Structure formats: C-alpha cells, structure tokens
Amino acid sequence: MRYELFTALDLAGEPPRHPSEFDRLLKTALAERPRTFLVDEAQWLNGEAFEYFRYLWDEPSTQLAIIFVGGAGCHTVLRREPMLSSRVFIWQQFTRLTPDEVLEVIPLFHPVWADADPEDITFADSHAAHGNFRAWAQLTAHTRTALARTGRPRVDQELLRWAFSRLA
C-alpha cells in the first residue's frame, strides 16, 4: 500500500526502505494540501489495507478524504472493519438513473450528448446503458470513436447501433 501511495502522490526520490520512514514521508505529503483518495473496488481490499487508510486519515496533520467505491458486497466488507466504518461520514448507495434522470444528466455528462436528440438518448439508454453510469461512459467512448471515424456532426441511431456492437 505504501508503494502505491508513493506512486499515486508522485513523490520525488526513492521510496524509503523502512515502514516508519515511509509513514513519516506519506504523512508529511498528505499534510501539505488537501487530498482525496478514490479507492475503487474496495470490496477486494483486506483488513490491513483498510487499517492503513484509517491510520493515515487519523493523523491530525493530514488533510485527507477517502472515498471507497465498490460493487456487490462492498458495504458488507467495509462494515466488517469497525475502526474504519465508524469513521465513515456518509454511506451512499448509487442506483440506476431513471429515464427522466438520463435525459437530464447525460446531456451534461459529455459534449457528445449535449446536442443529441432526446429520442436518441432514450434509444441509447433503452438498448445499451440502462441507466448505468459506467455503461454510459463506455458508450460515450465508442460514440466518440464513431463520430471521429464517420465525420458526422451528431449522434444518430445508426451510429449508436455501431457503438452498441462495440460494448463488452
């Protein structure tokens, strides 16, 4: 974990060899300015990793916010770590976007969708994204590729069908 944080913080020099030196370096770096760690797939972390995050967060000089994100079982895994879960400020469960939310949010998400026909956005959601923001991100990447390859100025259903065929 220390080495990952050293790399993520883009610290200069060689990583310290001893844990106490490493901890001092990381705490100093985390005290310099506010930082936010986004820890994805948190349900796969072990207790030792959670304890280390808690250790860094508890240091009074650090300016650290940690966001744990995960899929199925993440809440259960985090709750098993009482020293960490007691420090969680907000537990937030994300659900799929409703069709109305899709029409409101997706045009703001990326310029590709800003001038798209609402019917095309609804078409994309009902055939591929299903209100899932991660699916919208993938679809957007493929849609950008399709627009670049075809030279078309806007999304249409033919272009979307091609993008759908590229989704995993």
Side-chain angles (χ1 to χ4, degrees), residues 1-7 9 11 16 19-32 35 37 52 55-56 59 61-62:
M1 182 66 64
R2 289 175 179 96
Y3 287 97
E4 293 298 324
L5 293 174
F6 182 88
T7 301
L9 293 169
L11 299 177
S20 61
E21 293 172 28
F22 221 139
D23 292 346
R24 193 169 30 261
L25 175 69
L26 292 173
K27 287 178 183 180
T28 299
L30 293 171
E32 290 173 353
R35 306 277 187 152
F37 288 165
Y52 195 69
Y55 169 74
L56 293 174
E59 173 61 39
S61 65
T62 62

PDB file of all heavy atoms in Angstrom, residues 1-7 9 11 16 19-32 35 37 52 55-56 59 61-62:
ATOM      1  N   MET A   1       0.825  -1.179   0.000  1.00  0.00           N
ATOM      2  CA  MET A   1       0.000   0.000   0.000  1.00  0.00           C
ATOM      3  C   MET A   1       0.878   1.254   0.000  1.00  0.00           C
ATOM      4  O   MET A   1       0.596   2.201  -0.714  1.00  0.00           O
ATOM      5  CB  MET A   1      -0.924  -0.034   1.216  1.00  0.00           C
ATOM      6  CG  MET A   1      -1.872   1.119   1.292  1.00  0.00           C
ATOM      7  SD  MET A   1      -3.110   1.182   0.004  1.00  0.00           S
ATOM      8  CE  MET A   1      -4.022  -0.282   0.354  1.00  0.00           C
ATOM      9  N   ARG A   2       1.935   1.238   0.788  1.00  0.00           N
ATOM     10  CA  ARG A   2       2.816   2.398   0.864  1.00  0.00           C
ATOM     11  C   ARG A   2       3.382   2.754  -0.514  1.00  0.00           C
ATOM     12  O   ARG A   2       3.424   3.920  -0.897  1.00  0.00           O
ATOM     13  CB  ARG A   2       3.951   2.140   1.850  1.00  0.00           C
ATOM     14  CG  ARG A   2       3.521   2.119   3.305  1.00  0.00           C
ATOM     15  CD  ARG A   2       4.690   1.742   4.218  1.00  0.00           C
ATOM     16  NE  ARG A   2       4.291   1.750   5.598  1.00  0.00           N
ATOM     17  CZ  ARG A   2       3.913   0.656   6.275  1.00  0.00           C
ATOM     18  NH1 ARG A   2       3.898  -0.524   5.677  1.00  0.00           N
ATOM     19  NH2 ARG A   2       3.568   0.752   7.539  1.00  0.00           N
ATOM     20  N   TYR A   3       3.834   1.742  -1.245  1.00  0.00           N
ATOM     21  CA  TYR A   3       4.419   1.990  -2.559  1.00  0.00           C
ATOM     22  C   TYR A   3       3.378   2.532  -3.534  1.00  0.00           C
ATOM     23  O   TYR A   3       3.681   3.412  -4.346  1.00  0.00           O
ATOM     24  CB  TYR A   3       5.075   0.723  -3.116  1.00  0.00           C
ATOM     25  CG  TYR A   3       6.367   0.392  -2.419  1.00  0.00           C
ATOM     26  CD1 TYR A   3       6.410  -0.529  -1.384  1.00  0.00           C
ATOM     27  CD2 TYR A   3       7.553   1.033  -2.792  1.00  0.00           C
ATOM     28  CE1 TYR A   3       7.591  -0.808  -0.728  1.00  0.00           C
ATOM     29  CE2 TYR A   3       8.749   0.754  -2.141  1.00  0.00           C
ATOM     30  CZ  TYR A   3       8.763  -0.173  -1.108  1.00  0.00           C
ATOM     31  OH  TYR A   3       9.933  -0.440  -0.469  1.00  0.00           O
ATOM     32  N   GLU A   4       2.169   2.019  -3.468  1.00  0.00           N
ATOM     33  CA  GLU A   4       1.101   2.526  -4.334  1.00  0.00           C
ATOM     34  C   GLU A   4       0.823   3.995  -4.041  1.00  0.00           C
ATOM     35  O   GLU A   4       0.639   4.800  -4.961  1.00  0.00           O
ATOM     36  CB  GLU A   4      -0.182   1.697  -4.166  1.00  0.00           C
ATOM     37  CG  GLU A   4      -0.068   0.277  -4.664  1.00  0.00           C
ATOM     38  CD  GLU A   4       0.215   0.189  -6.153  1.00  0.00           C
ATOM     39  OE1 GLU A   4      -0.310   1.031  -6.923  1.00  0.00           O
ATOM     40  OE2 GLU A   4       0.959  -0.709  -6.562  1.00  0.00           O
ATOM     41  N   LEU A   5       0.776   4.349  -2.770  1.00  0.00           N
ATOM     42  CA  LEU A   5       0.533   5.736  -2.395  1.00  0.00           C
ATOM     43  C   LEU A   5       1.702   6.629  -2.790  1.00  0.00           C
ATOM     44  O   LEU A   5       1.506   7.756  -3.250  1.00  0.00           O
ATOM     45  CB  LEU A   5       0.251   5.846  -0.896  1.00  0.00           C
ATOM     46  CG  LEU A   5      -1.052   5.187  -0.442  1.00  0.00           C
ATOM     47  CD1 LEU A   5      -1.158   5.224   1.072  1.00  0.00           C
ATOM     48  CD2 LEU A   5      -2.256   5.839  -1.091  1.00  0.00           C
ATOM     49  N   PHE A   6       2.910   6.135  -2.625  1.00  0.00           N
ATOM     50  CA  PHE A   6       4.105   6.874  -3.043  1.00  0.00           C
ATOM     51  C   PHE A   6       4.005   7.228  -4.523  1.00  0.00           C
ATOM     52  O   PHE A   6       4.241   8.367  -4.926  1.00  0.00           O
ATOM     53  CB  PHE A   6       5.356   6.015  -2.774  1.00  0.00           C
ATOM     54  CG  PHE A   6       6.652   6.688  -3.114  1.00  0.00           C
ATOM     55  CD1 PHE A   6       7.305   7.470  -2.174  1.00  0.00           C
ATOM     56  CD2 PHE A   6       7.222   6.526  -4.367  1.00  0.00           C
ATOM     57  CE1 PHE A   6       8.516   8.084  -2.482  1.00  0.00           C
ATOM     58  CE2 PHE A   6       8.431   7.134  -4.683  1.00  0.00           C
ATOM     59  CZ  PHE A   6       9.077   7.922  -3.738  1.00  0.00           C
ATOM     60  N   THR A   7       3.625   6.255  -5.314  1.00  0.00           N
ATOM     61  CA  THR A   7       3.483   6.469  -6.759  1.00  0.00           C
ATOM     62  C   THR A   7       2.318   7.397  -7.060  1.00  0.00           C
ATOM     63  O   THR A   7       2.448   8.330  -7.856  1.00  0.00           O
ATOM     64  CB  THR A   7       3.289   5.117  -7.469  1.00  0.00           C
ATOM     65  OG1 THR A   7       4.417   4.282  -7.187  1.00  0.00           O
ATOM     66  CG2 THR A   7       3.166   5.293  -8.972  1.00  0.00           C
ATOM     67  N   LEU A   9       0.961   9.667  -5.264  1.00  0.00           N
ATOM     68  CA  LEU A   9       1.246  11.040  -4.827  1.00  0.00           C
ATOM     69  C   LEU A   9       2.376  11.679  -5.625  1.00  0.00           C
ATOM     70  O   LEU A   9       2.688  12.851  -5.432  1.00  0.00           O
ATOM     71  CB  LEU A   9       1.576  11.055  -3.330  1.00  0.00           C
ATOM     72  CG  LEU A   9       0.420  10.708  -2.404  1.00  0.00           C
ATOM     73  CD1 LEU A   9       0.911  10.479  -0.984  1.00  0.00           C
ATOM     74  CD2 LEU A   9      -0.651  11.782  -2.450  1.00  0.00           C
ATOM     75  N   LEU A  11       5.617  11.278  -5.473  1.00  0.00           N
ATOM     76  CA  LEU A  11       6.661  11.786  -4.588  1.00  0.00           C
ATOM     77  C   LEU A  11       8.031  11.607  -5.231  1.00  0.00           C
ATOM     78  O   LEU A  11       8.288  10.627  -5.919  1.00  0.00           O
ATOM     79  CB  LEU A  11       6.598  11.078  -3.240  1.00  0.00           C
ATOM     80  CG  LEU A  11       5.285  11.274  -2.471  1.00  0.00           C
ATOM     81  CD1 LEU A  11       5.290  10.470  -1.184  1.00  0.00           C
ATOM     82  CD2 LEU A  11       5.036  12.749  -2.194  1.00  0.00           C
ATOM     83  N   PRO A  16      11.300   5.126   0.721  1.00  0.00           N
ATOM     84  CA  PRO A  16      12.057   4.707   1.915  1.00  0.00           C
ATOM     85  C   PRO A  16      12.016   3.188   2.086  1.00  0.00           C
ATOM     86  O   PRO A  16      11.078   2.525   1.671  1.00  0.00           O
ATOM     87  CB  PRO A  16      11.314   5.404   3.056  1.00  0.00           C
ATOM     88  CG  PRO A  16      10.602   6.544   2.419  1.00  0.00           C
ATOM     89  CD  PRO A  16      10.240   6.070   1.053  1.00  0.00           C
ATOM     90  N   PRO A  19       9.385   0.980   7.116  1.00  0.00           N
ATOM     91  CA  PRO A  19       7.993   1.428   7.244  1.00  0.00           C
ATOM     92  C   PRO A  19       7.821   2.738   8.009  1.00  0.00           C
ATOM     93  O   PRO A  19       7.025   3.586   7.603  1.00  0.00           O
ATOM     94  CB  PRO A  19       7.313   0.272   7.982  1.00  0.00           C
ATOM     95  CG  PRO A  19       8.132  -0.924   7.639  1.00  0.00           C
ATOM     96  CD  PRO A  19       9.546  -0.412   7.528  1.00  0.00           C
ATOM     97  N   SER A  20       8.562   2.928   9.088  1.00  0.00           N
ATOM     98  CA  SER A  20       8.385   4.159   9.869  1.00  0.00           C
ATOM     99  C   SER A  20       8.801   5.392   9.059  1.00  0.00           C
ATOM    100  O   SER A  20       8.146   6.429   9.121  1.00  0.00           O
ATOM    101  CB  SER A  20       9.162   4.092  11.182  1.00  0.00           C
ATOM    102  OG  SER A  20      10.542   3.939  10.932  1.00  0.00           O
ATOM    103  N   GLU A  21       9.882   5.270   8.289  1.00  0.00           N
ATOM    104  CA  GLU A  21      10.297   6.382   7.419  1.00  0.00           C
ATOM    105  C   GLU A  21       9.262   6.621   6.327  1.00  0.00           C
ATOM    106  O   GLU A  21       8.947   7.771   5.987  1.00  0.00           O
ATOM    107  CB  GLU A  21      11.649   6.067   6.764  1.00  0.00           C
ATOM    108  CG  GLU A  21      12.816   5.995   7.721  1.00  0.00           C
ATOM    109  CD  GLU A  21      14.068   5.479   7.003  1.00  0.00           C
ATOM    110  OE1 GLU A  21      14.195   5.680   5.773  1.00  0.00           O
ATOM    111  OE2 GLU A  21      14.912   4.878   7.679  1.00  0.00           O
ATOM    112  N   PHE A  22       8.754   5.530   5.784  1.00  0.00           N
ATOM    113  CA  PHE A  22       7.751   5.615   4.729  1.00  0.00           C
ATOM    114  C   PHE A  22       6.502   6.324   5.253  1.00  0.00           C
ATOM    115  O   PHE A  22       5.956   7.222   4.606  1.00  0.00           O
ATOM    116  CB  PHE A  22       7.387   4.204   4.249  1.00  0.00           C
ATOM    117  CG  PHE A  22       7.215   4.081   2.773  1.00  0.00           C
ATOM    118  CD1 PHE A  22       7.721   2.973   2.103  1.00  0.00           C
ATOM    119  CD2 PHE A  22       6.534   5.047   2.039  1.00  0.00           C
ATOM    120  CE1 PHE A  22       7.557   2.827   0.739  1.00  0.00           C
ATOM    121  CE2 PHE A  22       6.362   4.908   0.665  1.00  0.00           C
ATOM    122  CZ  PHE A  22       6.877   3.795   0.010  1.00  0.00           C
ATOM    123  N   ASP A  23       6.056   5.920   6.430  1.00  0.00           N
ATOM    124  CA  ASP A  23       4.861   6.524   7.027  1.00  0.00           C
ATOM    125  C   ASP A  23       5.063   8.018   7.263  1.00  0.00           C
ATOM    126  O   ASP A  23       4.173   8.821   6.990  1.00  0.00           O
ATOM    127  CB  ASP A  23       4.498   5.823   8.333  1.00  0.00           C
ATOM    128  CG  ASP A  23       4.024   4.398   8.111  1.00  0.00           C
ATOM    129  OD1 ASP A  23       3.725   4.028   6.955  1.00  0.00           O
ATOM    130  OD2 ASP A  23       3.947   3.654   9.104  1.00  0.00           O
ATOM    131  N   ARG A  24       6.228   8.376   7.758  1.00  0.00           N
ATOM    132  CA  ARG A  24       6.525   9.791   8.011  1.00  0.00           C
ATOM    133  C   ARG A  24       6.471  10.587   6.700  1.00  0.00           C
ATOM    134  O   ARG A  24       5.891  11.676   6.638  1.00  0.00           O
ATOM    135  CB  ARG A  24       7.884   9.921   8.692  1.00  0.00           C
ATOM    136  CG  ARG A  24       8.167  11.280   9.278  1.00  0.00           C
ATOM    137  CD  ARG A  24       9.399  11.354  10.181  1.00  0.00           C
ATOM    138  NE  ARG A  24      10.505  10.444   9.915  1.00  0.00           N
ATOM    139  CZ  ARG A  24      10.737   9.287  10.583  1.00  0.00           C
ATOM    140  NH1 ARG A  24       9.941   8.920  11.565  1.00  0.00           N
ATOM    141  NH2 ARG A  24      11.775   8.534  10.283  1.00  0.00           N
ATOM    142  N   LEU A  25       7.056  10.047   5.644  1.00  0.00           N
ATOM    143  CA  LEU A  25       7.043  10.703   4.337  1.00  0.00           C
ATOM    144  C   LEU A  25       5.615  10.879   3.819  1.00  0.00           C
ATOM    145  O   LEU A  25       5.223  11.959   3.363  1.00  0.00           O
ATOM    146  CB  LEU A  25       7.867   9.897   3.334  1.00  0.00           C
ATOM    147  CG  LEU A  25       7.849  10.413   1.896  1.00  0.00           C
ATOM    148  CD1 LEU A  25       8.596  11.732   1.781  1.00  0.00           C
ATOM    149  CD2 LEU A  25       8.438   9.370   0.955  1.00  0.00           C
ATOM    150  N   LEU A  26       4.810   9.808   3.904  1.00  0.00           N
ATOM    151  CA  LEU A  26       3.433   9.888   3.417  1.00  0.00           C
ATOM    152  C   LEU A  26       2.604  10.876   4.232  1.00  0.00           C
ATOM    153  O   LEU A  26       1.854  11.679   3.672  1.00  0.00           O
ATOM    154  CB  LEU A  26       2.784   8.502   3.433  1.00  0.00           C
ATOM    155  CG  LEU A  26       3.353   7.494   2.421  1.00  0.00           C
ATOM    156  CD1 LEU A  26       2.749   6.120   2.649  1.00  0.00           C
ATOM    157  CD2 LEU A  26       3.107   7.962   0.989  1.00  0.00           C
ATOM    158  N   LYS A  27       2.753  10.844   5.542  1.00  0.00           N
ATOM    159  CA  LYS A  27       2.000  11.781   6.386  1.00  0.00           C
ATOM    160  C   LYS A  27       2.394  13.223   6.085  1.00  0.00           C
ATOM    161  O   LYS A  27       1.538  14.110   6.048  1.00  0.00           O
ATOM    162  CB  LYS A  27       2.222  11.465   7.860  1.00  0.00           C
ATOM    163  CG  LYS A  27       1.515  10.224   8.331  1.00  0.00           C
ATOM    164  CD  LYS A  27       1.832   9.972   9.789  1.00  0.00           C
ATOM    165  CE  LYS A  27       1.218   8.723  10.318  1.00  0.00           C
ATOM    166  NZ  LYS A  27       1.552   8.514  11.733  1.00  0.00           N
ATOM    167  N   THR A  28       3.675  13.466   5.856  1.00  0.00           N
ATOM    168  CA  THR A  28       4.136  14.815   5.516  1.00  0.00           C
ATOM    169  C   THR A  28       3.516  15.266   4.192  1.00  0.00           C
ATOM    170  O   THR A  28       3.023  16.389   4.078  1.00  0.00           O
ATOM    171  CB  THR A  28       5.674  14.859   5.434  1.00  0.00           C
ATOM    172  OG1 THR A  28       6.197  14.497   6.712  1.00  0.00           O
ATOM    173  CG2 THR A  28       6.182  16.236   5.036  1.00  0.00           C
ATOM    174  N   ALA A  29       3.533  14.393   3.206  1.00  0.00           N
ATOM    175  CA  ALA A  29       2.955  14.731   1.897  1.00  0.00           C
ATOM    176  C   ALA A  29       1.450  14.974   2.013  1.00  0.00           C
ATOM    177  O   ALA A  29       0.918  15.894   1.374  1.00  0.00           O
ATOM    178  CB  ALA A  29       3.235  13.613   0.900  1.00  0.00           C
ATOM    179  N   LEU A  30       0.788  14.184   2.839  1.00  0.00           N
ATOM    180  CA  LEU A  30      -0.668  14.325   2.988  1.00  0.00           C
ATOM    181  C   LEU A  30      -1.050  15.530   3.843  1.00  0.00           C
ATOM    182  O   LEU A  30      -2.221  15.914   3.881  1.00  0.00           O
ATOM    183  CB  LEU A  30      -1.264  13.042   3.570  1.00  0.00           C
ATOM    184  CG  LEU A  30      -1.179  11.833   2.642  1.00  0.00           C
ATOM    185  CD1 LEU A  30      -1.590  10.566   3.376  1.00  0.00           C
ATOM    186  CD2 LEU A  30      -2.008  12.039   1.398  1.00  0.00           C
ATOM    187  N   ALA A  31      -0.085  16.126   4.519  1.00  0.00           N
ATOM    188  CA  ALA A  31      -0.347  17.320   5.326  1.00  0.00           C
ATOM    189  C   ALA A  31      -0.138  18.604   4.522  1.00  0.00           C
ATOM    190  O   ALA A  31      -0.576  19.674   4.943  1.00  0.00           O
ATOM    191  CB  ALA A  31       0.557  17.332   6.553  1.00  0.00           C
ATOM    192  N   GLU A  32       0.517  18.512   3.368  1.00  0.00           N
ATOM    193  CA  GLU A  32       0.851  19.706   2.585  1.00  0.00           C
ATOM    194  C   GLU A  32      -0.364  20.406   1.994  1.00  0.00           C
ATOM    195  O   GLU A  32      -0.400  21.617   1.894  1.00  0.00           O
ATOM    196  CB  GLU A  32       1.817  19.334   1.461  1.00  0.00           C
ATOM    197  CG  GLU A  32       3.190  18.965   1.967  1.00  0.00           C
ATOM    198  CD  GLU A  32       4.086  18.442   0.861  1.00  0.00           C
ATOM    199  OE1 GLU A  32       3.618  18.242  -0.291  1.00  0.00           O
ATOM    200  OE2 GLU A  32       5.273  18.211   1.144  1.00  0.00           O
ATOM    201  N   ARG A  35      -6.129  16.358   0.037  1.00  0.00           N
ATOM    202  CA  ARG A  35      -6.086  15.271  -0.957  1.00  0.00           C
ATOM    203  C   ARG A  35      -7.350  14.440  -0.818  1.00  0.00           C
ATOM    204  O   ARG A  35      -7.899  14.292   0.266  1.00  0.00           O
ATOM    205  CB  ARG A  35      -4.897  14.330  -0.716  1.00  0.00           C
ATOM    206  CG  ARG A  35      -3.555  14.964  -0.646  1.00  0.00           C
ATOM    207  CD  ARG A  35      -2.976  15.181  -2.006  1.00  0.00           C
ATOM    208  NE  ARG A  35      -1.595  15.649  -1.859  1.00  0.00           N
ATOM    209  CZ  ARG A  35      -0.663  15.443  -2.737  1.00  0.00           C
ATOM    210  NH1 ARG A  35      -0.920  14.807  -3.833  1.00  0.00           N
ATOM    211  NH2 ARG A  35       0.547  15.903  -2.526  1.00  0.00           N
ATOM    212  N   PHE A  37      -8.554  10.555  -1.870  1.00  0.00           N
ATOM    213  CA  PHE A  37      -8.251   9.239  -2.437  1.00  0.00           C
ATOM    214  C   PHE A  37      -9.566   8.611  -2.856  1.00  0.00           C
ATOM    215  O   PHE A  37     -10.508   8.555  -2.069  1.00  0.00           O
ATOM    216  CB  PHE A  37      -7.600   8.314  -1.408  1.00  0.00           C
ATOM    217  CG  PHE A  37      -6.184   8.651  -1.035  1.00  0.00           C
ATOM    218  CD1 PHE A  37      -5.623   8.078   0.085  1.00  0.00           C
ATOM    219  CD2 PHE A  37      -5.410   9.510  -1.784  1.00  0.00           C
ATOM    220  CE1 PHE A  37      -4.322   8.368   0.454  1.00  0.00           C
ATOM    221  CE2 PHE A  37      -4.111   9.810  -1.429  1.00  0.00           C
ATOM    222  CZ  PHE A  37      -3.564   9.227  -0.302  1.00  0.00           C
ATOM    223  N   TYR A  52      -4.621   0.653   7.232  1.00  0.00           N
ATOM    224  CA  TYR A  52      -3.623   1.643   6.844  1.00  0.00           C
ATOM    225  C   TYR A  52      -4.284   2.953   6.405  1.00  0.00           C
ATOM    226  O   TYR A  52      -3.821   4.036   6.755  1.00  0.00           O
ATOM    227  CB  TYR A  52      -2.693   1.100   5.755  1.00  0.00           C
ATOM    228  CG  TYR A  52      -1.466   1.956   5.615  1.00  0.00           C
ATOM    229  CD1 TYR A  52      -0.502   1.993   6.626  1.00  0.00           C
ATOM    230  CD2 TYR A  52      -1.271   2.753   4.505  1.00  0.00           C
ATOM    231  CE1 TYR A  52       0.616   2.806   6.528  1.00  0.00           C
ATOM    232  CE2 TYR A  52      -0.147   3.568   4.394  1.00  0.00           C
ATOM    233  CZ  TYR A  52       0.788   3.587   5.410  1.00  0.00           C
ATOM    234  OH  TYR A  52       1.896   4.395   5.305  1.00  0.00           O
ATOM    235  N   TYR A  55      -5.320   4.660   9.527  1.00  0.00           N
ATOM    236  CA  TYR A  55      -4.123   5.186  10.183  1.00  0.00           C
ATOM    237  C   TYR A  55      -3.715   6.539   9.583  1.00  0.00           C
ATOM    238  O   TYR A  55      -3.447   7.494  10.310  1.00  0.00           O
ATOM    239  CB  TYR A  55      -3.006   4.148  10.035  1.00  0.00           C
ATOM    240  CG  TYR A  55      -1.625   4.601  10.409  1.00  0.00           C
ATOM    241  CD1 TYR A  55      -1.244   4.762  11.732  1.00  0.00           C
ATOM    242  CD2 TYR A  55      -0.674   4.835   9.414  1.00  0.00           C
ATOM    243  CE1 TYR A  55       0.048   5.160  12.065  1.00  0.00           C
ATOM    244  CE2 TYR A  55       0.607   5.228   9.731  1.00  0.00           C
ATOM    245  CZ  TYR A  55       0.963   5.402  11.060  1.00  0.00           C
ATOM    246  OH  TYR A  55       2.235   5.796  11.379  1.00  0.00           O
ATOM    247  N   LEU A  56      -3.705   6.627   8.263  1.00  0.00           N
ATOM    248  CA  LEU A  56      -3.345   7.893   7.613  1.00  0.00           C
ATOM    249  C   LEU A  56      -4.413   8.960   7.845  1.00  0.00           C
ATOM    250  O   LEU A  56      -4.099  10.122   8.079  1.00  0.00           O
ATOM    251  CB  LEU A  56      -3.137   7.683   6.112  1.00  0.00           C
ATOM    252  CG  LEU A  56      -1.934   6.827   5.717  1.00  0.00           C
ATOM    253  CD1 LEU A  56      -1.939   6.576   4.218  1.00  0.00           C
ATOM    254  CD2 LEU A  56      -0.632   7.474   6.159  1.00  0.00           C
ATOM    255  N   GLU A  59      -4.352  10.690  11.356  1.00  0.00           N
ATOM    256  CA  GLU A  59      -3.253  11.612  11.658  1.00  0.00           C
ATOM    257  C   GLU A  59      -3.796  13.041  11.617  1.00  0.00           C
ATOM    258  O   GLU A  59      -4.302  13.492  10.586  1.00  0.00           O
ATOM    259  CB  GLU A  59      -2.127  11.444  10.636  1.00  0.00           C
ATOM    260  CG  GLU A  59      -1.022  12.452  10.738  1.00  0.00           C
ATOM    261  CD  GLU A  59      -0.295  12.426  12.068  1.00  0.00           C
ATOM    262  OE1 GLU A  59      -0.066  11.325  12.612  1.00  0.00           O
ATOM    263  OE2 GLU A  59       0.044  13.508  12.571  1.00  0.00           O
ATOM    264  N   SER A  61      -2.539  15.916  11.259  1.00  0.00           N
ATOM    265  CA  SER A  61      -1.978  16.869  10.295  1.00  0.00           C
ATOM    266  C   SER A  61      -2.399  16.586   8.847  1.00  0.00           C
ATOM    267  O   SER A  61      -2.274  17.459   7.995  1.00  0.00           O
ATOM    268  CB  SER A  61      -0.453  16.883  10.394  1.00  0.00           C
ATOM    269  OG  SER A  61       0.073  15.636   9.997  1.00  0.00           O
ATOM    270  N   THR A  62      -2.864  15.375   8.572  1.00  0.00           N
ATOM    271  CA  THR A  62      -3.217  15.073   7.187  1.00  0.00           C
ATOM    272  C   THR A  62      -4.530  15.750   6.813  1.00  0.00           C
ATOM    273  O   THR A  62      -5.405  15.946   7.646  1.00  0.00           O
ATOM    274  CB  THR A  62      -3.327  13.557   6.925  1.00  0.00           C
ATOM    275  OG1 THR A  62      -4.355  13.018   7.740  1.00  0.00           O
ATOM    276  CG2 THR A  62      -2.019  12.846   7.172  1.00  0.00           C
TER     277      THR A  62
END
